[in-house]
């Protein structure tokens, strides 16, 4: 009887801590915020038409800090650009929002993304407004 009770507790714990994201992981002992708070690079990306645009992001380095600040380093026409901003997990931590600070009244990068996969080494996002546009980040 004790074994049955123990298995019931484990099964219940797995159902409440199980996978939130379509591509996993099934379970993690690391908080979602800590999994995001890493330095990332783009492994794979597609545009609104589903075409591979990974090479467009080859210079991008995304640094997400635990306090919700973000910095993005990239090159535009060969010139280095450093952006700062904020990130957050929203909608029961199933969505990722990023917003860069304005430069001369213009926000250069920002958006909402559904999270497909979030591990310590992989962070897969899909554009909230366009399911063909996906981005797979990997740990730097």
């Amino acid at each position: 009887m004790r074994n049955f009770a123990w298995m019931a507790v484990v099964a219940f714990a797995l159902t409440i801590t199980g996978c939130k994201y379509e591509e996993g992981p099934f379970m993690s002992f690391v908080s979602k915020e800590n999994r995001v708070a890493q330095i990332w690079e783009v492994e794979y990306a597609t545009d609104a038409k589903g075409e591979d645009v990974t090479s467009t992001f080859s210079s991008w380095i995304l640094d997400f800090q635990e306090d919700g600040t973000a910095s993005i380093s990239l090159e535009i026409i060969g010139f280095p650009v450093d952006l700062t901003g904020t990130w957050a997990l929203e909608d029961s931590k199933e969505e990722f929002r990023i917003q860069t600070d304005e430069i001369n009244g213009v926000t250069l990068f920002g958006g909402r993304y559904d999270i497909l996969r979030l591990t310590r080494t992989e962070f897969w996002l899909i554009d909230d407004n366009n399911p063909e546009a996906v981005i797979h980040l990997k740990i730097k």
Side-chain angles (χ1 to χ4, degrees):
M1 186 59 120
R2 288 177 103 192
N3 286 340
F4 177 74
W6 175 248
M7 288 190 307
V9 168
V10 169
F12 176 74
L14 288 175
T15 59
I16 63 170
T17 62
C19 178
K20 244 184 202 238
Y21 309 122
E22 187 175 314
E23 299 291 331
F26 175 72
M27 187 173 78
S28 177
F29 295 107
V30 179
S31 75
K32 292 164 185 64
E33 291 83 2
N34 283 343
R35 282 181 265 162
V36 172
Q38 305 280 343
I39 299 174
W40 302 95
E41 62 185 348
V42 177
E43 179 176 42
Y44 174 76
T46 59
D47 64 11
K49 297 176 186 173
E51 296 176 9
D52 188 338
V53 293
T54 306
S55 62
T56 304
F57 297 95
S58 64
S59 68
W60 287 48
I61 303 296
L62 302 97
D63 185 357
F64 303 132
Q65 297 294 312
E66 287 184 45
D67 65 0
T69 58
S71 61
I72 303 172
S73 300
L74 60 126
E75 287 184 10
I76 298 177
I77 316 171
F79 294 99
V81 176
D82 293 314
L83 305 173
T84 58
T86 59
W87 68 271
L89 296 175
E90 297 180 343
D91 192 22
S92 299
K93 300 183 181 180
E94 293 181 18
E95 287 187 348
F96 177 75
R97 180 190 47 78
I98 185 167
Q99 187 76 41
T100 58
D101 298 331
E102 292 183 356
I103 298 174
N104 296 327
V106 176
T107 300
L108 297 178
F109 182 75
R112 276 187 125 82
Y113 302 88
D114 292 329
I115 301 171
L116 293 176
R117 181 172 178 79
L118 177 56
T119 68
R120 291 287 288 166
T121 60
E122 296 175 300
F123 189 15
W124 297 358
L125 303 165
I126 186 167
D127 190 314
D128 207 26
N129 296 315
N130 189 332
E132 295 295 318
V134 299
I135 189 163
H136 291 188
L137 302 175
K138 68 178 181 178
I139 200 80
K140 172 89 173 122

